[in-house]
Amino acid sequence: MVFVDGPATMIITRTLLAKELRQHGPALLGISALLTVAFSMGRTLMNREARVLSALEVVSSFALGPLVAAALYLGHRLVVAEHYGRTQRFVEALPVRRGHMALVKAAFGLAWLELWAACALLLAAASASTEPIGGRFLGILAARLGLYVFALWGVVFLLGFFGRLRLPLGGGLVLLAVLLDRATAWHLHNFGPLALVERTTFPFERQHFPAGALAQSAAVGAAALGIAWALSRVREGGIVEALARPLSRRELSAILVVAFGALTAFAALDREPAPPPYAFSSDRVLREGLVEIGYLDDDLRPAAAALSGRMALTLAAFSRALGVSFPPVRVVHGPEVPVDLPRVVRSHPTEGLVLRVNLAGTGPGAHTRVVALALHALVWSRSRGRAGLETKHWLLDGFAVHFAEHGLEPAPPPVEPDRTLLRALVATALVPFGEPLLRDYERTAERLGDDVTGALAASGWRTLESRIGRERALALARAALTRPGTGDVRDYLYERRHPMPRLFEEATGWAWPAFLQAWSEDLARLRTRPAARALLAELPQGQFRVRVDSPAGVAVEARLTTPLAADTTCTVRHRRLPPHDLPFSPETLEEVKFVWPRGERSLARPVADQYGPGERAFVALDCDLPELGCWARLAAERVTAP
Amino acid sequence: MKAIAALARKEVRQLLPVLVGLLALVLWSEVDGLLLHSPDEYAGEANGWLINAHAGQLDALATMVVGLLVAYNLLPGEYEQRTIEFLYTLPVRRRTVFLTKYAVGVAVLTATSALGSLLGAMHHALSASSFGRQIFPLRLQLLAFALGDVALSFVVVAYGMLLCFFRRLGWILFLLIWLTLEVAERLWPPLRLLHVRALLDVDHRGLTPLVDGRAWLVHAVMAAVALALAARFWLSDATGFAGFYDQLRRQPGLRRTGVVLGLLGATFVCAALMAVWSESPPTTEQGLPQRTLAFETERFHFTYREGQAEQAMIVIREADRAYRRVRTWLPGPEGDRIVADLTDTSSEHLGIAGWKKMRIDLRPKSPALLRHVLYHETTHVLAAQEQGPSARRAALHFFSEGLAEYVAYELEPQPAERAHARRIAALARARYQLRLEDLMDPGLFLARHDEYLLYALGEVWVAGLVDACGPKLPARLVATFGDPTLPQSLAGLELWRAALQRNGCDLDRVMSRYEQRLSAAERSATSVPTASARWLGEEGGKLRFELSVQARTAGPWQVTLRLRDDPSTPPDEVVSYTTSLSAGATTRLEVSPPGRAWKSFEVQVGAARDADTRPFYTRWRSVTQ
């Protein structure tokens, strides 16, 4: 074949351009119509938006949306369809170099896209009547947009030469960019082409050419076009020719398998990033063993020291009892945290715990509550939440509360009611004791509140320990609570093989129903003790309910059988619920405190102006029991506001 | 009958690649749900369009795309390869062939959707939580199956059968229709019914989902029409529309005519849109000269309307001083001139700012307020320059606004306004148990609360930062948040902890100061008037409310009632009604429902001394009629 040079090249170029124009002209006009509509729609939508800083922002959106779609379509028509349809062979029969043809196609597509980018820019600039748009600013905008289009077209054009591999390759590139963006300090939105049309800077940078991003974009575009040009020439275009057919089913399957495997591997590896190391920057910190307490205020140092000493000892004993080692526990003073509701800020199996606690709390059992929370959270995070599954949550709660109170000391048998057992009796006075309380433990905790529920669970541990001995009870705790969680199907399979009743029987040698029976008997016996009778007599007795009726709305209502003997501080706790029922954190409950005066027999307390008709809400009435250092939840319901 | 059965089997085989693709997606999701996570800890237990308001919109769109794929695999290929002619030789009517294809398409889509639903039900059954096991009762599963799996398949495959007649152009038509509906809905919200996503968009009364029957009716009719048209097009002979379409595709002359007609159509659409977007001055400005003037200072380039020159000068005279003073809080190299567009008119903000630019609404306001806005927006501009484009903008929104408020109040003291803002913050914090983490997710926060709370609480937070670690900390934090080496995976409190640790400060100390300030402000928060709105019902297309104010003094107070459809309502579509009311008195207000409202809408109410004072707004409450 004879190739022509010199002036004839111009003629050939023109001829090729005319051929492209004839072949793709109507399609280009059609796309132009669509781009015009898309631009107008974008402009109209932007005009409706209240928070648009510049009319030129539409160009940025246009460049990242419709223009990319147009480039993909054009790339398909100019390169892919030509090779797939084998019409390329007719053109190759002409006395023209392959590289020349590729360059003409590249130039044709680029010119058309640049033309459209320029149109969009000019249209937007014309409509930006209150923007000072000078020559330099327009130059910067044009350079940014022009080189963005150059890079975009370069990549699209190059991908077209990969024929059937273009989509997997494109997908792979995007995935790689996203991974780099997530895992390294390199960020996609700061890189070349995307940085050029970044909506937060594109319409506003009036003085400086973003040299780095411009150079990167030029390099990307030039490199991509260069590779495309080279590909079109390698082995006389044999590679491109070989790639130019649709994927066979086998190839498609292989690609899907690879993609599927890569996604699975990525999902498996990317599940649990470790949090950054925690460090106190203040010098108001006490350290003892695994415990660090940041008290922030010198007045709180004694309270911090007392808690630190107790917590360090208990943690060490807890670790020995369960035969596992735990990560550090850090406690930070939080003045805003309710004394009865310390919070877990961070819980990680290796990085440890961070608790936010109000160290100013001096009420009875304040430290026990914090220590119990720490023990609970340590086990929870070690097992990745498995120790807190509903079937065994009572055991975790009971063991944590019990250990926080008694440590490794042998607990007194449940003969005379102490504070924890009295709380447990309050629980059974509010809801009848039975297996469903443990089976639906999440509902029990919601109904009774955390303190009373924890005490009820701890009373079960006391029964257990008194009947089978400490060692066997600890064996149960070790079997049920210490397995490190894996966070995947292995946890589930383990649970299936070791359901709680069987695990209980294996560790304790005691049948689950027999234990429940014994527990129930212990509680019944305790209820007859004078101290218990005295306390339960002070508990408001009567009917309590959450009322929903129109027009009063949502309210808590109580009718007592006997009037209150003393003023009682009560709290209405409530929160909005989604239109489905799942457990929620008690921290999210809103509170309205009030005093229920002595001598009163009834109470009607509306939750005013909080819930609109049809909204779901959880509403509870909690009244303080000062001698127990906690409150009793007299009523609790999930309701729909009328 | 045998022929039809054979035909159906053949269609199923034809759809096998689509079926395999869909099953691969299901398989992938199950590998993730059953193997990579413990199956009894189902993370998606609260997912599902029937148990979440407005969560099904994406599902509907995805099903629409799959429906199109199914239709494209059923018909165009048969016509391209002329295999349809073999089918027409079977002893069944052409219409039966067409309907069989449609039925098989619907059946395949229904089967894959139902498989997904079934696996979802299995996940719920495996849940280790008693709540999780009961969250999706059988009646809801049946409803989800009947509507989301079966009925939706009938609709989307019918649309697909029509669109695929236009071959590749059909995809473009789909995109065009979708875009048009997006724009149309924004221009006239009731048109949302025409969008396929309206089908799975439900409101709730308690736990009961309220499916939009109007949308289903509209789409049932449209799907029937689409199916009839598709049958007409696909089954017509060479003289019918199919013949015309084939000629259009093959004959360049006709194709050119088509392109010209398309261009004319596009021009018409664009002209209509231009008419919509051309702005007219707001009513308060009518009669004032609208010519745009420019003014340059050392640090700013201003544009303003001639009729607002007086207010503009208040801002312009202060501008360079404001720049220098804000620079003391946010030191950095002297940048370019800031472009300040003073022609902004908005019912929902006083100003906005970003990279080297700000917009301020000059309509009659006090000079002090205008100066405050200038300082606020200048802070934003300088902070944006220091931080650069950041992927964390949303999570740091409260910090960004808080910093701007803090600096503005520090430099242009307005003690009464600042104290009022802090009281609002404290009141909201106490009343709604707002935690710091809540501020870090603006999407969730704004779904329930007034946006101004982000400003007020953010200002207290920045005050806490300064109290705990000195006045240079905010500027250093701005730089840290823009630092690309700060891991992208960090979010929420961990992000703050890491950023503060880099600057030698302690999150817990800052939180402590923040809480102390809020507690101090809470003591005087009872002086903030609060309003309430009781829903009385609907009458004659109007929503009726009873408004009241609780305040220490009688007033009168400006009570503002705000309505929106749902949390996705754009800020400019929130409608407000203001009335004057004395404390303890009540008044009735009749207002029009928000644009898209069907069974539910949301309402909030606030009271303030006058129009220039910020009200304390209640949370958004949902009202289901």
Side-chain angles (χ1 to χ4, degrees):
Chain A
M1 190 178 288
V2 179
F3 293 102
V4 289
D5 283 314
T9 310
M10 282 305 291
I11 298 169
I12 290 169
T13 304
R14 249 181 280 152
T15 311
L16 286 173
L17 281 174
K19 172 248 165 197
E20 299 295 353
L21 202 56
R22 260 199 316 279
Q23 187 179 349
H24 304 295
L28 292 185
L29 278 176
I31 303 173
S32 295
L34 291 177
L35 286 176
T36 313
V37 172
F39 182 83
S40 311
M41 284 180 173
R43 186 68 190 81
T44 309
L45 280 180
M46 207 162 269
N47 205 47
R48 296 279 296 187
E49 276 179 32
R51 297 181 188 181
V52 175
L53 203 48
S54 166
L56 294 169
E57 286 177 52
V58 71
V59 182
S60 189
S61 306
F62 181 75
L64 287 167
L67 210 53
V68 173
L72 288 170
Y73 182 66
L74 194 59
H76 178 81
R77 279 194 75 97
L78 282 176
V79 187
V80 183
E82 191 102 73
H83 282 98
Y84 272 37
R86 308 294 176 205
T87 49
Q88 181 72 8
R89 289 180 184 172
F90 292 104
V91 187
E92 283 167 3
L94 298 171
V96 187
R97 286 195 172 88
R98 284 175 196 282
H100 190 167
M101 278 188 295
L103 285 179
V104 168
K105 278 182 181 292
F108 180 79
L110 181 63
W112 186 78
L113 284 174
E114 293 284 11
L115 186 69
W116 247 108
C119 285
L121 181 59
L122 291 175
L123 276 172
S127 66
S129 57
T130 57
E131 295 263 343
I133 300 179
R136 185 176 178 82
F137 183 34
L138 207 55
I140 292 171
L141 290 173
R144 294 177 79 137
L145 196 58
L147 278 169
Y148 161 77
V149 169
F150 180 60
L152 168 70
W153 175 242
V155 172
V156 169
F157 189 70
L158 171 62
L159 285 176
F161 279 83
F162 285 93
R164 63 181 182 277
L165 294 183
R166 69 191 188 286
L167 293 180
L169 210 58
L173 276 177
V174 171
L175 189 67
L176 182 69
V178 170
L179 287 180
L180 285 174
D181 183 84
R182 287 186 58 169
T184 68
W186 178 87
H187 295 308
L188 199 53
H189 65 271
N190 287 335
F191 175 69
L194 292 181
L196 288 180
V197 291
E198 162 77 42
R199 189 169 164 176
T200 53
T201 59
F202 174 80
F204 308 117
E205 180 51 70
R206 290 175 151 75
Q207 293 299 322
H208 304 286
F209 283 88
L214 288 173
Q216 285 167 354
S217 303
V220 168
L225 288 176
I227 296 169
W229 179 77
L231 266 179
S232 72
R233 288 165 56 95
V234 173
R235 293 190 192 168
E236 298 188 330
I239 293 179
V240 179
E241 187 80 18
L243 291 170
R245 61 173 173 77
L247 285 168
S248 67
R249 290 199 168 188
R250 186 179 295 178
E251 287 167 338
L252 186 64
S253 309
I255 286 172
L256 283 178
V257 167
V258 169
F260 186 77
L263 278 174
T264 309
F266 179 69
L269 294 173
D270 190 50
R271 278 193 301 161
E272 199 180 342
Y278 185 93
F280 285 110
S281 61
S282 161
D283 54 357
R284 291 189 175 93
V285 179
L286 291 176
R287 293 183 173 84
E288 195 169 345
L290 287 174
V291 180
E292 290 180 22
I293 300 188
Y295 52 91
L296 304 179
D297 189 341
D298 288 332
D299 293 344
L300 296 171
R301 188 184 164 89
L307 179 61
S308 170
R310 179 167 172 193
M311 192 179 252
L313 278 176
T314 313
L315 269 181
F318 192 64
S319 184
R320 280 199 304 279
L322 290 181
V324 293
S325 55
F326 289 109
V329 175
R330 297 179 179 91
V331 179
V332 187
H333 171 58
E336 83 289 359
V337 181
V339 173
D340 60 348
L341 214 57
R343 291 171 54 193
V344 178
V345 179
R346 181 198 277 184
S347 167
H348 191 270
T350 55
E351 294 296 324
L353 290 186
V354 180
L355 304 182
R356 203 164 166 81
V357 169
N358 194 335
L359 291 174
T362 53
H367 285 182
T368 305
R369 194 178 277 127
V370 177
V371 176
L373 178 69
L375 303 182
H376 186 283
L378 282 170
V379 173
W380 183 285
S381 62
R382 178 184 164 79
S383 66
R384 286 186 163 81
R386 302 301 294 184
L389 288 189
E390 199 167 15
T391 49
K392 54 168 90 164
H393 200 160
W394 74 270
L395 181 67
L396 173 60
D397 277 0
F399 183 50
V401 169
H402 177 82
F403 214 96
E405 282 180 341
H406 301 285
L408 272 180
E409 300 294 317
V415 178
E416 280 302 322
D418 54 17
R419 174 177 288 168
T420 301
L421 295 176
L422 285 172
R423 286 181 182 180
L425 292 177
V426 168
T428 56
L430 295 169
V431 288
F433 180 80
E435 202 270 341
L437 278 191
L438 305 183
R439 191 190 58 217
D440 297 339
Y441 192 72
E442 286 167 352
R443 289 171 199 276
T444 304
E446 180 179 297
R447 171 64 187 84
L448 296 174
D450 281 353
D451 280 349
V452 171
T453 312
L456 178 65
S459 73
W461 180 270
R462 291 272 285 275
T463 295
L464 192 65
E465 203 178 295
S466 67
R467 302 290 175 96
I468 62 168
R470 187 166 182 81
E471 270 320 303
R472 280 162 74 190
L474 282 178
L476 172 66
R478 281 193 287 270
L481 307 177
T482 59
R483 179 183 171 269
T486 57
D488 53 35
V489 69
R490 285 172 291 173
D491 285 340
Y492 175 71
L493 295 176
Y494 179 84
E495 233 50 72
R496 294 285 296 177
R497 286 197 303 270
H498 304 88
M500 187 56 189
R502 191 200 300 171
L503 199 117
F504 183 88
E505 287 184 24
E506 282 171 4
T508 62
W510 201 11
W512 175 249
F515 162 64
L516 286 179
Q517 182 62 34
W519 186 358
S520 177
E521 286 165 4
D522 279 354
L523 289 169
R525 192 172 52 251
L526 283 167
R527 218 173 287 132
T528 61
R529 300 290 176 197
R533 283 215 300 268
L535 177 88
L536 294 177
E538 284 177 24
L539 192 68
Q541 306 283 335
Q543 286 186 326
F544 306 93
R545 67 179 185 129
V546 178
R547 195 189 65 200
V548 281
D549 54 26
S550 193
V554 181
V556 288
E557 202 176 68
R559 285 181 200 287
L560 301 183
T561 46
T562 49
L564 283 177
D567 287 353
T568 305
T569 304
C570 295
T571 308
V572 173
R573 290 191 166 83
H574 61 97
R575 61 156 284 166
R576 188 167 84 152
L577 297 172
H580 54 257
D581 282 338
L582 278 180
F584 56 81
S585 163
E587 290 169 19
T588 58
L589 287 170
E590 295 169 20
E591 299 179 350
V592 184
K593 280 189 187 297
F594 65 97
V595 175
W596 193 353
R598 65 180 166 177
E600 288 287 326
R601 267 182 181 275
S602 64
L603 171 81
R605 190 88 193 172
V607 185
D609 301 323
Q610 297 291 335
Y611 302 103
E615 279 191 309
R616 286 275 292 168
F618 170 81
V619 182
L621 172 66
D622 301 333
C623 288
D624 284 357
L625 301 174
E627 53 276 39
L628 291 189
C630 69
W631 39 258
R633 180 157 288 169
L634 302 178
E637 249 179 273
R638 291 176 178 237
V639 295
T640 299
Chain B
M1 218 39 215
K2 268 187 178 175
I4 293 175
L7 192 58
R9 278 199 299 277
K10 176 245 160 211
E11 298 304 340
V12 171
R13 272 199 302 279
Q14 192 168 334
L15 283 178
L16 212 54
V18 179
L19 198 57
V20 169
L22 292 175
L23 291 177
L25 283 177
V26 173
L27 181 66
W28 153 246
S29 133
E30 290 314 307
V31 165
D32 190 56
L34 291 174
L35 300 180
L36 297 179
H37 293 92
S38 185
D40 55 356
E41 292 176 44
Y42 183 36
E45 61 193 356
N47 293 350
W49 62 277
L50 276 178
I51 53 173
N52 280 293
H54 318 299
Q57 302 187 21
L58 204 63
D59 290 2
L61 265 180
T63 313
M64 179 73 225
V65 172
V66 177
L68 276 176
L69 279 174
V70 167
Y72 268 88
N73 275 273
L74 280 172
L75 281 162
E78 299 263 27
Y79 281 82
E80 300 297 327
Q81 293 159 18
R82 296 187 170 278
T83 48
I84 192 74
E85 287 164 16
F86 291 109
L87 296 184
Y88 287 161
T89 61
L90 291 172
V92 286
R93 288 191 300 180
R94 287 184 173 202
R95 196 183 303 160
T96 308
V97 173
F98 178 83
L99 287 177
T100 306
K101 281 179 174 289
Y102 174 64
V104 170
V106 170
V108 164
L109 191 54
T110 301
T112 46
S113 303
L115 179 65
S117 301
L118 204 64
L119 289 167
M122 185 192 77
H123 279 297
H124 286 113
L126 287 179
S127 176
S129 156
S130 56
F131 278 105
R133 288 192 295 274
Q134 293 164 23
I135 193 173
F136 214 41
L138 187 63
R139 66 183 174 85
L140 286 192
Q141 289 183 24
L142 290 176
L143 186 61
F145 172 73
L147 292 180
D149 297 344
V150 181
L152 187 61
S153 301
F154 274 98
V155 171
V156 296
V157 177
Y159 292 157
M161 299 289 264
L162 179 59
L163 283 173
C164 72
F165 176 74
F166 302 98
R167 312 315 199 267
R168 265 179 292 178
L169 196 61
W171 285 105
I172 295 172
L173 275 176
F174 167 64
L175 272 178
L176 256 182
I177 292 168
W178 180 50
L179 273 175
T180 308
L181 287 174
E182 290 287 333
V183 177
E185 183 184 338
R186 193 82 167 83
L187 298 178
W188 196 47
L191 284 177
R192 69 175 270 280
L193 282 186
L194 298 178
H195 211 303
V196 73
R197 65 175 186 212
L199 292 175
L200 301 191
D201 189 10
V202 293
D203 289 331
H204 287 85
R205 183 178 294 115
L207 294 174
T208 310
L210 305 170
V211 178
D212 192 344
R214 300 168 311 165
W216 280 98
L217 188 65
V218 165
H219 281 275
V221 171
M222 291 201 312
V225 171
L227 195 63
L229 275 177
R232 172 86 179 82
F233 291 169
W234 282 110
L235 302 180
S236 63
D237 54 22
T239 56
F241 186 85
F244 168 75
Y245 184 70
D246 277 345
Q247 282 183 15
L248 182 72
R249 292 174 62 213
R250 285 176 194 151
Q251 293 183 12
L254 266 178
R255 215 160 55 205
R256 275 187 215 114
T257 312
V259 168
V260 170
L261 284 175
L263 281 174
L264 279 175
T267 313
F268 176 73
V269 171
C270 293
L273 289 172
M274 298 273 189
V276 171
W277 103 43
S278 62
E279 291 175 83
S280 56
T283 47
T284 51
E285 281 186 76
Q286 276 171 359
L288 293 176
Q290 293 297 311
R291 194 157 61 99
T292 304
L293 303 177
F295 194 104
E296 282 208 350
T297 67
E298 187 191 346
R299 290 281 151 216
F300 289 83
H301 176 105
F302 288 98
T303 48
Y304 59 95
R305 304 265 185 225
E306 190 179 2
Q308 293 180 315
E310 199 179 323
Q311 293 103 309
M313 283 303 151
I314 296 169
V315 175
I316 291 170
R317 280 191 214 106
E318 182 68 19
D320 284 342
R321 182 165 167 267
Y323 182 94
R324 284 192 299 275
R325 295 176 76 199
V326 174
R327 266 277 175 242
T328 60
W329 279 92
L330 294 167
E334 298 297 340
D336 308 321
R337 271 205 184 91
I338 296 169
V339 173
D341 180 354
L342 307 183
T343 64
D344 192 17
T345 50
S346 170
S347 59
E348 66 91 37
H349 64 247
L350 301 172
I352 49 173
W355 179 266
K356 300 184 181 182
K357 185 171 179 189
M358 63 171 74
R359 298 187 77 190
I360 295 179
D361 186 349
L362 286 180
R363 284 173 300 168
K365 282 186 285 280
S366 73
L369 184 57
L370 280 177
R371 277 198 296 274
H372 180 83
V373 176
L374 171 70
Y375 276 85
H376 179 104
E377 303 306 344
T378 305
T379 308
H380 275 312
V381 172
L382 297 187
Q385 274 182 22
E386 186 61 29
Q387 195 174 336
S390 169
R392 294 197 175 95
R393 259 188 316 162
L396 295 173
H397 185 44
F398 84 100
F399 171 60
S400 166
E401 297 300 349
L403 177 63
E405 283 291 273
Y406 182 82
V407 171
Y409 279 133
E410 285 292 306
L411 298 176
E412 275 289 297
Q414 291 180 285
E417 283 77 5
R418 190 180 206 172
H420 178 68
R422 287 187 174 180
R423 280 195 290 268
I424 286 180
L427 184 60
R429 160 78 179 75
R431 189 179 266 205
Y432 304 131
Q433 317 283 309
L434 292 175
R435 297 181 303 165
L436 189 62
E437 299 92 302
D438 298 328
L439 309 183
M440 295 173 186
D441 189 341
L444 278 180
F445 187 87
L446 297 179
R448 291 230 67 195
H449 300 283
D450 176 26
E451 189 178 4
Y452 180 69
L453 294 181
L454 287 179
Y455 289 58
L457 287 160
E459 196 270 332
V460 181
W461 173 248
V462 176
L465 286 170
V466 173
D467 285 352
C469 299
K472 290 186 177 165
L473 181 67
R476 294 208 305 264
L477 277 174
V478 167
T480 303
F481 287 129
D483 184 348
T485 61
L486 192 65
Q488 286 289 307
S489 57
L490 289 179
L493 284 181
E494 292 294 356
L495 170 68
W496 275 94
R497 196 179 295 285
L500 286 167
Q501 275 184 200
R502 277 191 181 197
N503 290 287
C505 191
D506 196 337
L507 175 64
D508 305 300
R509 219 160 6 128
V510 179
M511 283 175 80
S512 174
R513 303 291 184 188
Y514 166 74
E515 294 295 345
Q516 280 170 7
R517 279 189 175 271
L518 285 177
S519 300
E522 197 181 328
R523 287 191 279 276
S524 57
T526 47
S527 65
V528 177
T530 55
S532 60
R534 197 159 66 86
W535 160 247
L536 299 175
E538 186 188 6
E539 202 173 278
K542 295 281 185 185
L543 309 176
R544 292 162 59 238
F545 292 92
E546 186 180 80
L547 304 183
S548 59
V549 184
Q550 297 79 45
R552 275 185 186 169
T553 55
W557 302 95
Q558 299 262 339
V559 180
T560 305
L561 182 80
R562 301 208 287 202
L563 298 171
R564 69 180 185 187
D565 292 296
D566 57 58
S568 70
T569 306
D572 47 289
E573 278 187 19
V574 173
V575 284
S576 300
Y577 301 89
T578 302
T579 185
S580 186
L581 195 58
S582 298
T586 58
T587 187
R588 291 193 171 192
L589 194 65
E590 287 194 354
V591 298
S592 300
R596 279 173 289 183
W598 178 54
K599 289 284 187 189
S600 286
F601 62 90
E602 293 191 329
V603 60
Q604 70 174 183
V605 62
R609 195 177 56 238
D610 51 45
D612 279 349
T613 309
R614 265 283 165 184
F616 169 75
Y617 278 106
T618 60
R619 273 185 306 213
W620 287 104
R621 261 190 304 153
S622 168
V623 174
T624 304
Q625 301 174 58

